[in-house]
Amino acid sequence: MELAQARKLWQVEPGWLNTATYGLPPDPVWTAVQQVLAEWRSGGVSFEVWDAAVDRSRAAFARLVGVDPADVSIGAAVSQLVAPIAAALPPGATVVVPEGEFTSILFPWLVQEERGVRVRAVPLDGLVDAIDAGTDLVAFSLVQSADGTVAAYDEIVAAARSHDALVVVDATQACGWLPFDAARADAVLVGAYKWLMAPRGAAFAYLAPVLRERLRPDAAGWYAGKDPHSSYYGTPLRLADDARRFDLSPSWLCYAGAAPVLELLADLDLAAVRDHDVALANRFLAGLGRPPGDSAIVSVEVPGAQEKLAAAGVRAAVRAGRVRASFHLYTTEADVDLALDALTG
């Protein structure tokens, strides 16, 4: 599908510049969720009808990030997907992370400190140089939630590989607008409710086979079984041989909404999505007299921003006087100009 055609699939009130908080559903997602709600209300179908959306979602996510669906696990949140990786680190292991990192990709390592795991926080722009022979794992967001900074993915991976360190990436603020090769990392975690525009409660993990050998599926339930439908009751343990052994039993309503939007994104030219989003972000920056950037998320300091934006009906994140604005497929130049008029008028 062409980008111009896809952009007609949203029904958005003017002034939404907050995808970094949550994304908005295109028409196919809205329709799918309404159908599931109606089926749930009436008891009109068995759950297997909804469950088919999980396989569709897994396959579309894998296509979007360039990996094998057999290497994709599904869950509910990034921190839950990171947990078995953190739990598998041996006492004395050292994890290097950026300072001020989003806590879903930070707290899982920190809770392991009580058993001897060491967490070393360094400036993001110094992350490559901080990876050394004593580093066992490096974890970072591909795009920073706070200000949209895009990490030097290739350089970080190369530095980690030169020291045999694992690479764990939170791509929640990147996946859906920024093309990248997930297979270069050992694990890539994505919450789907932001740039993937799915209902909150769907999340994905690319888990490389070499990493999975080190992990124990402590949260395994019936859905992690080799055949989930014959894994409802009783011994013995019979888990899937691939990444599905780390699956969390899915929230069906969330995955019913995730499947159509992931399939839509996987059919688009993601480079064109990036160019659209970044062009709008740079239009916003230019209007405020700032230099252009390379991200769909920007953060700028404007006095009185919260009151000015609210008065104009613009929805963006404002924290400590800094505006965090984010731009995606449904954002228009008119949305950008509405925000600029509010901030500069």
Side-chain angles (χ1 to χ4, degrees), residues 13 23 37 42 64 69 87 121 138 153-155 179 225 230 232 240 251 256 260 265 273 287-288 300 303 305 331 337:
E13 293 184 10
L37 288 171
S42 66
L64 185 64
V138 57
Y153 183 50
D154 291 342
E155 291 84 352
S230 64
Y232 297 147
S251 299
L265 286 167
V273 176
L288 295 173
V300 295
T331 313
D337 294 344

Side-chain angles (χ1 to χ4, degrees), residues 288 290 300-309 318 320-323 342-345:
L288 295 173
R290 270 67 167 186
V300 295
E301 186 170 357
V302 179
Q306 187 165 12
E307 295 77 15
K308 291 176 180 178
L309 291 175
V318 180
R322 294 189 67 85
V323 179
L343 294 172
T344 62

Side-chain angles (χ1 to χ4, degrees), residues 11 25 29 61 114 140 143 155-156 160 162 194 211 233 265 339:
Q11 313 298 323
V29 173
F61 175 80
E114 65 182 23
F140 62 98
V143 174
E155 291 84 352
I156 294 169
S162 70
K194 296 181 185 285
L211 174 66
Y233 307 107
L265 286 167

Side-chain angles (χ1 to χ4, degrees), residues 18 21 27 39 76 86 93 110 128 131 133 141 162 253 280 320:
N18 207 10
T21 297
D27 290 342
E39 291 167 347
L110 292 174
V128 170
I131 300 168
S141 291
S162 70
L253 275 66
L280 291 170

